[in-house]
């Protein structure tokens, strides 16, 4: 029987313990990797669900302008379509300026508004640009673009309505100024000749003449008041127009 040195068995024990520790560590490491993978898949699924239901196009690029993420919203803004930008709201290419500032880490975010041409239709876009960071270091930039065409058209309609309203107010002011003069003229005639008749100094022939002037001035005044009432009713849609032959 060959006898080994007594210390050799301790080495075998130590090797066995190390192997056991290695196996336990390996199983623990596999468990943590699986846990991290599941968490990553979960967050990736949540991120995809969020971006897929965002009412805007999300695009993330590196500092070289190479795209590594893009959702499916507003496909006409895809880089593959090479969308043509017609004009910027401020008249300048603020988008490139903001992107350069993001790449150079001069700013963290910015907004830009521009008009594009899509299948012969013009669309207005509002894009929010931002820095993309990893471990507090900038690795690129991203953008969220929204189609605001309906809002822009409404703004244009409102501006046109305001202009028309201002023009209408000017016309009303002119009309009232003219009307004030036209009302004052017959009123002065009524008041003046009424005072003469009240003094009882005129003869019978002149009294008839003055009374006729008062009557004519009164009818003039009534007609002007009728014009004002009719104009007011037209503005409030209280008058129904009917076609008829003269």
């Amino acid at each position: 029987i060959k006898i080994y040195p007594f210390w050799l068995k301790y080495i075998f024990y130590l090797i066995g313990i190390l192997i056991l520790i290695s196996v336990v560590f390996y199983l623990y490491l596999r468990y943590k990797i699986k846990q991290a993978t599941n968490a990553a898949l979960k967050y990736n699924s949540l991120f995809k669900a969020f971006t897929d239901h965002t009412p805007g196009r999300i695009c993330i690029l590196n500092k070289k302008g190479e795209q590594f993420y893009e959702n499916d919203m507003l496909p006409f803004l895809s880089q593959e379509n090479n969308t043509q930008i017609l004009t910027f709201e401020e008249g300048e290419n603020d988008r490139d300026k903001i992107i350069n500032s993001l790449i150079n880490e001069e700013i963290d975010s910015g907004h830009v508004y521009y008009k594009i041409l899509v299948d012969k239709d013009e669309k207005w876009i509002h894009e929010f640009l931002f820095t993309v960071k990893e471990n507090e270091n900038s690795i690129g930039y991203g953008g969220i673009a929204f189609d605001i065409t309906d809002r822009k058209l409404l703004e244009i309609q409102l501006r046109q309505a305001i202009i028309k309203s201002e023009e209408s107010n000017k016309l009303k002011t002119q009309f009232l100024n003219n009307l004030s003069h036209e009302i004052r003229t017959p009123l002065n005639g009524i008041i003046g000749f009424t005072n003469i008749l009240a003094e009882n100094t005129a003869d019978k022939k002149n009294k008839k003449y003055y009374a006729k002037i008062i009557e004519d001035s009164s009818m003039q005044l009534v007609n002007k008041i009728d014009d004002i009432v009719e104009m007011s009713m037209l503005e409030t849609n209280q008058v129904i127009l009917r076609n008829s032959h003269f």
Side-chain angles (χ1 to χ4, degrees):
I1 299 173
K2 190 176 181 179
I3 301 175
Y4 295 97
F6 75 94
W7 48 268
L8 193 58
K9 66 177 181 180
Y10 293 111
I11 291 177
F12 289 144
Y13 290 153
L14 183 60
I15 292 172
I17 292 171
L18 288 174
I19 291 172
L20 180 62
I21 291 172
S22 298
V23 170
V24 171
F25 179 73
Y26 171 74
L27 293 174
Y28 175 76
L29 192 61
R30 280 195 61 182
Y31 168 75
K32 295 301 287 184
I33 291 173
K34 185 177 180 181
Q35 195 177 40
T37 302
N38 290 336
L41 290 172
K42 177 184 176 182
Y43 287 120
N44 184 61
S45 177
L46 290 172
F47 176 75
K48 191 174 186 309
F50 169 74
T51 56
D52 286 347
H53 292 85
T54 299
R57 187 163 194 83
I58 300 175
C59 183
I60 300 175
L61 307 92
N62 60 23
K63 289 189 174 183
K64 295 180 180 179
E66 298 169 342
Q67 180 178 297
F68 58 86
Y69 177 79
E70 186 177 37
N71 68 352
D72 297 327
M73 300 300 289
L74 306 182
F76 56 80
L77 289 176
S78 173
Q79 281 190 332
E80 297 175 355
N81 291 334
N82 195 23
T83 305
Q84 178 188 359
I85 296 178
L86 297 177
T87 182
F88 289 85
E89 189 175 54
E90 300 300 327
E92 298 181 1
N93 189 348
D94 296 327
R95 188 174 188 273
D96 288 348
K97 291 180 182 179
I98 293 172
I99 289 173
N100 289 331
S101 297
L102 291 171
I103 292 172
N104 297 326
E105 300 183 42
E106 297 172 356
I107 58 174
D108 290 326
S109 62
H111 294 265
V112 64
Y113 299 84
Y114 52 87
K115 183 167 60 174
I116 63 174
L117 187 64
V118 181
D119 296 330
K120 298 182 180 180
D121 291 329
E122 295 180 355
K123 290 184 178 293
W124 276 97
I125 303 298
H126 169 211
E127 188 172 11
F128 171 65
L129 298 163
F130 55 90
T131 301
V132 177
K133 293 184 178 182
E134 185 177 22
N135 298 325
E136 298 302 319
N137 296 317
S138 174
I139 61 171
Y141 63 93
I144 305 177
F146 300 95
D147 184 353
I148 58 167
T149 305
D150 291 341
R151 193 184 82 186
K152 270 291 179 183
L153 292 176
L154 183 60
E155 287 179 4
I156 292 170
Q157 290 173 1
L158 286 173
R159 278 197 290 268
Q160 291 174 345
I162 290 171
I163 292 171
K164 286 183 178 178
S165 176
E166 290 174 349
E167 291 175 352
S168 176
N169 286 334
K170 287 180 181 178
L171 291 174
K172 283 182 182 179
T173 301
Q174 292 175 0
F175 172 76
L176 290 174
N177 288 336
N178 293 334
L179 195 63
S180 173
H181 172 72
E182 291 181 10
I183 289 176
R184 202 179 296 118
T185 300
L187 269 179
N188 288 335
I190 294 169
I191 294 170
F193 287 103
T194 302
N195 289 335
I196 292 174
L197 290 175
E199 292 173 359
N200 202 21
T201 56
D203 56 30
K204 188 176 180 180
K205 183 180 178 181
N206 286 333
K207 282 183 179 180
K208 287 183 179 180
Y209 174 70
Y210 297 153
K212 185 68 172 65
I213 292 176
I214 293 173
E215 182 183 0
D216 291 343
S217 298
S218 300
M219 291 305 299
Q220 260 187 309
L221 188 59
V222 169
N223 289 333
K224 295 302 176 186
I225 293 172
D226 285 343
D227 290 342
I228 296 171
V229 172
E230 189 173 350
M231 179 182 172
S232 175
M233 292 178 71
L234 283 170
E235 286 188 345
T236 55
N237 296 322
Q238 295 181 41
V239 174
I240 300 174
L241 299 177
R242 294 186 179 89
N243 294 325
S244 59
H245 294 287
F246 289 98

